[in-house]
């Protein structure tokens, strides 16, 4: 069965982020025009392929970038959560199956990155997001009806988290500039945690340059986060050649509060050969919100 997709968007438009509704009756598609600045979330009949209706639209002078399919809320009548940067940061919005906006679930001025699942009572959604420091990653619980937030991962750093099938526990593997790796089990209901594995520094006994974080001020006054790796025998009276290692594009982030600061081990080796290794996440890099990331729109070379 072929979907009779919306010709108003043009023959060359994009069909993205497909999802089936919980009854397997309908197919949902985020459809984007060729210029990628206008999107329709369309609902199709799965048997006939006919368009039922357009649930809602989004547009932006620069670009619209749907990255996630609708996430249906368990045990609801087809209500779903939708990721959008429409207000500057990636957040979750609650819609009913007719496309009516119920509420904004995550009312935060930082980037919500991923949905891990739902709490046991299905009243809260568990997500990964940066929190206030864009160099970090944490797990949070948000009540769907009220937006009440609970931060589930307490320690500074980058947390990689999985939610149990019943929505009651998290397994959290995290690191930071000071912590190689710690794995804990977290109770979603009361926040209590238990450490089940702790890694000692795997580089003990080796000479290596430790990374340091830097914060530089952008021309517009915003913060730019950097990292510098110096030789272990660094002499501040001496001049060093510098290796500048950057990416500078969307969907990439090189400086994170994780073990070695997000650097690759070859960089630490390179520093031991007598270099300074410098990295900066400039405008356009990920996890800083739409304005920061879209600053390179049609200005990538500049």
């Amino acid at each position: 069965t072929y979907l009779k997709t919306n010709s108003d968007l043009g023959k060359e438009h994009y069909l993205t982020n497909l999802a089936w509704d919980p009854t397997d009756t309908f197919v949902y598609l985020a459809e984007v025009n060729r210029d990628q600045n206008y999107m329709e979330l369309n609902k199709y009949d799965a048997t006939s392929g006919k368009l039922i209706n357009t649930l809602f639209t989004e547009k932006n002078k620069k670009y619209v970038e749907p990255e996630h399919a609708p996430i249906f809320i368990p045990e609801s009548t087809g209500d779903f959560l939708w990721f959008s940067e429409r207000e500057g940061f990636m957040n979750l919005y609650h819609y009913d199956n007719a496309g009516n906006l119920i509420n904004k679930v995550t009312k935060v001025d930082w980037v919500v990155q991923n949905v891990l699942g739902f709490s046991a009572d299905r009243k809260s959604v568990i997500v990964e997001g940066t929190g206030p420091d864009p160099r970090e990653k944490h797990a949070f619980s948000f009540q769907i009806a009220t937006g009440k937030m609970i931060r589930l991962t307490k320690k500074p750093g980058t947390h990689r988290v999985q939610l149990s099938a019943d929505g009651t526990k998290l397994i959290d593997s995290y690191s930071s500039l000071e912590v190689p790796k710690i794995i804990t089990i977290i109770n979603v209901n009361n926040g209590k945690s238990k450490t089940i594995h702790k890694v000692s520094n795997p580089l003990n006994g080796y000479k290596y340059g430790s990374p340091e974080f830097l914060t530089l001020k952008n021309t517009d006054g915003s913060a730019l986060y950097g990292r510098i790796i110096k030789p272990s025998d660094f002499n501040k009276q001496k001049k060093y050649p510098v290796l500048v290692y950057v990416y500078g594009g969307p969907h990439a982030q090189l400086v994170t509060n994780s073990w070695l600061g997000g650097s690759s081990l070859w960089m630490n080796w390179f520093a031991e050969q007598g270099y300074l290794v410098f990295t900066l996440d400039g405008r356009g890099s990920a996890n800083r919100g739409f304005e920061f990331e879209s600053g390179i729109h049609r200005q990538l070379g500049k």
Side-chain angles (χ1 to χ4, degrees):
T1 301
Y2 288 90
L3 300 181
K4 297 171 178 60
T5 54
N6 190 343
S7 60
D8 291 344
L9 289 172
K11 185 178 179 181
E12 299 296 328
H13 78 280
Y14 300 95
L15 312 179
T16 74
N17 301 293
L18 181 147
W20 289 84
D21 85 312
T23 67
D24 291 341
T25 305
F26 303 107
V27 171
Y28 289 65
L29 271 178
E31 301 187 41
V32 184
N33 66 339
R34 183 67 176 173
D35 288 341
Q36 299 182 50
N37 54 18
Y38 177 77
M39 183 218 77
E40 296 178 350
L41 184 64
N42 287 326
K43 182 178 180 179
Y44 291 89
D45 182 274
T47 303
S48 67
K50 290 182 178 179
L51 176 67
I52 302 298
N53 62 331
T54 296
L55 298 176
F56 57 84
T57 64
E58 291 191 15
K59 60 183 178 179
N60 189 290
K61 291 181 180 179
K62 291 183 176 180
Y63 56 79
V64 176
E65 187 183 16
E67 297 177 55
H68 303 266
I71 299 164
F72 290 92
I73 300 171
E75 301 169 17
S76 72
T77 56
D79 286 18
F80 61 90
L81 302 177
W82 179 254
F83 276 96
S84 176
E85 290 183 292
R86 66 183 66 161
E87 295 179 271
F89 292 90
M90 192 67 82
N91 273 282
L92 283 172
Y93 297 80
H94 178 191
Y95 282 87
D96 66 18
N97 61 8
N100 298 306
L101 177 63
I102 307 299
N103 66 308
K104 182 180 180 182
V105 177
T106 58
K107 305 178 182 72
V108 293
D109 291 331
W110 40 262
V111 177
V112 179
Q113 299 162 316
N114 185 39
V115 168
L116 296 168
F118 295 86
S119 60
D121 62 7
R122 309 307 194 195
K123 293 182 179 180
S124 297
V125 59
I126 314 299
V127 307
E128 286 180 318
T130 64
D133 188 337
R135 295 168 295 184
E136 300 194 352
K137 176 185 280 192
H138 290 276
F140 302 85
S141 171
F142 287 89
Q143 284 189 3
I144 295 170
T146 67
K148 180 182 178 182
M149 181 187 79
I150 299 173
R151 177 170 151 176
L152 299 170
T153 50
K154 309 294 185 184
K155 300 291 186 181
T158 298
H159 295 255
R160 305 186 187 283
V161 181
Q162 296 178 64
L163 180 67
S164 63
D166 62 4
T168 62
K169 294 181 180 66
L170 296 171
I171 183 165
D172 171 28
S173 174
Y174 78 94
S175 71
S176 69
L177 204 57
E178 295 81 22
V179 176
K181 180 184 282 190
I182 294 177
I183 301 177
T184 64
I185 301 293
I186 301 171
N187 186 305
V188 172
N189 295 322
N190 58 29
K192 291 182 179 180
S193 65
K194 177 183 178 181
T195 298
I196 60 172
H197 186 58
K198 190 173 183 178
V199 176
S200 59
N201 184 352
L203 299 178
N204 274 337
Y206 293 90
K207 290 178 64 178
Y208 67 98
S210 298
E212 302 171 13
F213 287 146
L214 300 171
T215 302
L216 306 181
K217 186 172 286 188
N218 196 3
T219 52
D220 63 6
S222 62
L224 296 174
Y225 296 110
R227 178 188 65 232
I228 190 167
I229 306 173
K230 304 172 183 176
S232 58
D233 60 355
F234 175 71
N235 180 353
K236 64 181 180 181
Q237 304 300 327
K238 180 181 172 182
K239 277 191 175 182
Y240 291 86
V242 180
L243 173 68
V244 179
Y245 184 90
V246 298
Y247 180 80
H251 292 245
Q253 183 183 30
L254 302 182
V255 181
T256 58
N257 187 13
S258 57
W259 181 238
L260 300 180
S263 66
S264 300
L265 199 55
W266 69 262
M267 297 179 181
N268 304 81
W269 177 88
F270 215 89
E272 285 304 289
Q273 312 313 304
Y275 290 80
L276 304 181
V277 183
F278 175 72
T279 293
L280 187 78
D281 280 328
R283 279 175 291 186
S285 57
N287 294 322
R288 297 293 303 273
F290 184 84
E291 182 178 355
F292 190 91
E293 189 165 346
S294 66
I296 57 169
H297 180 251
R298 296 186 176 178
Q299 299 288 331
L300 188 57
K302 181 179 177 181

